[in-house]
Amino acid sequence: MAAPPAAPPEWLAPALMAWADRGLGARLAALYQRLPPTTCARQGYCCGLLPPLAPVEMLAWLAGESQAVLVERSAHLADLVEHFLMNAAQRRPCPWAAPGACARYEGRFLACRAYGLWSPQAYAQRRQEALEASRAVARAWAGLGVELPTEVLEAGPGYCRHVRLCSDGEKIPRGDLALSGLEEELAQMAQELDCANELIGLGGDLSYLAARLALGPQACLVAKVRMTRDLLAGRETEAQELLARCREQARAWALAWPGVAP
């Protein structure tokens, strides 16, 4: 039997109200529009990992799920919880990765939209920073007596030279400074929210947010450690039983999703 769904955090309902009252959805869409439209011959290559999200993008996801039909909301939440529980033991693609495409292309996040627009030098630096962060994660797990597989500690997709600007995007700036400026604007938007610290503390990991909501802040971490140890020790039956219970709990939380953003 799965545990009862976790109670919604106190910040969630006010955050959804602030999202609507302050027009953050329209502001986020306008910011995305300042990026040049692109095309790529290797569609889906950049979907190798769940991208890091700005806090406002996490809130955008929450607002969108509040309006989603139950069957979709349940599936999305359960898939993200599964991603969180298993991604320390297995390298997993973005939950929205589809064959040769993105299952939420129109609603994709800034990191996805900017992929291929950074200069090779800037992207290499960002990738190195991500690699160093992975090493810090590995050290934390080592403190728990768990050695993570090398594959899960590798940085995200390499630089892509196949991204091309669409003809109507040639006049839109795409330099590193412009992209950094958009990231800074997203960060500033988060500071308008009372829940800013709650979202910033997630480190850009949307799957962590989903797991905290569905399982609870402490229970999700306990489940992740147990799942990781079971998978790395080859205890597949135990891992699958735990996963099934957590997915059921995520679906129950989706059913009782608190509040609906206008």
Side-chain angles (χ1 to χ4, degrees):
M1 290 290 292
E10 294 182 357
W11 58 262
L12 181 55
L16 291 175
M17 291 180 62
W19 170 266
D21 293 344
R22 301 186 184 187
L24 291 174
R27 290 164 60 186
L28 181 60
L31 185 145
Y32 286 157
Q33 288 299 314
R34 289 158 57 189
L35 284 164
T38 59
T39 184
C40 182
R42 292 195 300 175
Q43 293 178 359
Y45 174 74
C46 53
C47 302
L49 290 176
L50 178 65
L53 272 63
V56 169
E57 291 180 306
M58 291 189 177
L59 189 53
W61 175 78
L62 286 168
E65 292 301 309
S66 293
Q67 297 178 343
V69 297
L70 176 60
V71 64
E72 293 179 353
R73 184 164 65 235
S74 297
H76 296 164
L77 193 65
D79 287 348
L80 281 167
V81 168
E82 177 175 335
H83 185 93
F84 174 77
L85 293 178
M86 302 183 73
N87 68 0
Q90 301 174 354
R91 188 174 180 87
R92 300 175 66 84
C94 175
W96 286 285
C102 168
R104 56 167 293 148
Y105 186 79
E106 294 302 322
R108 67 197 189 283
F109 309 110
L110 181 64
C112 311
R113 296 168 186 265
Y115 182 67
L117 294 178
W118 295 96
S119 69
Q121 297 80 8
Y123 190 76
Q125 179 179 348
R126 295 167 68 87
R127 200 162 181 260
Q128 181 61 34
E129 292 171 353
L131 183 58
E132 292 171 358
S134 293
R135 290 169 178 163
V137 169
R139 290 193 293 270
W141 278 97
L144 298 173
V146 178
E147 182 178 354
L148 298 185
T150 301
E151 66 173 14
V152 305
L153 300 173
E154 296 176 354
Y159 188 77
C160 183
R161 297 183 180 275
H162 295 262
V163 174
R164 296 287 183 269
L165 293 181
C166 298
S167 59
D168 58 350
E170 295 291 349
K171 296 181 181 180
I172 305 177
R174 61 167 185 158
D176 296 336
L177 287 177
L179 294 174
S180 296
L182 294 182
E183 289 184 328
E184 291 175 3
E185 288 187 42
L186 282 183
Q188 291 171 0
M189 289 170 65
Q191 296 305 320
E192 301 178 23
L193 303 170
D194 293 337
C195 65
N197 290 336
E198 294 283 351
L199 296 176
I200 292 171
L202 299 170
D205 186 352
L206 183 62
S207 72
Y208 185 20
L209 170 60
R212 283 178 66 93
L213 293 175
L215 307 181
Q218 296 301 320
C220 73
L221 298 176
V222 172
K224 185 180 180 98
V225 171
R226 180 179 169 186
M227 174 69 74
T228 302
R229 285 178 167 155
D230 283 347
L231 289 173
L232 295 181
R235 297 189 290 267
E236 290 291 335
T237 299
E238 292 87 341
Q240 289 303 316
E241 290 176 351
L242 175 59
L243 178 60
R245 291 196 297 272
C246 291
R247 286 186 63 94
E248 181 182 344
Q249 193 169 342
R251 288 191 288 268
W253 203 92
L255 180 63
W257 190 280
V260 176

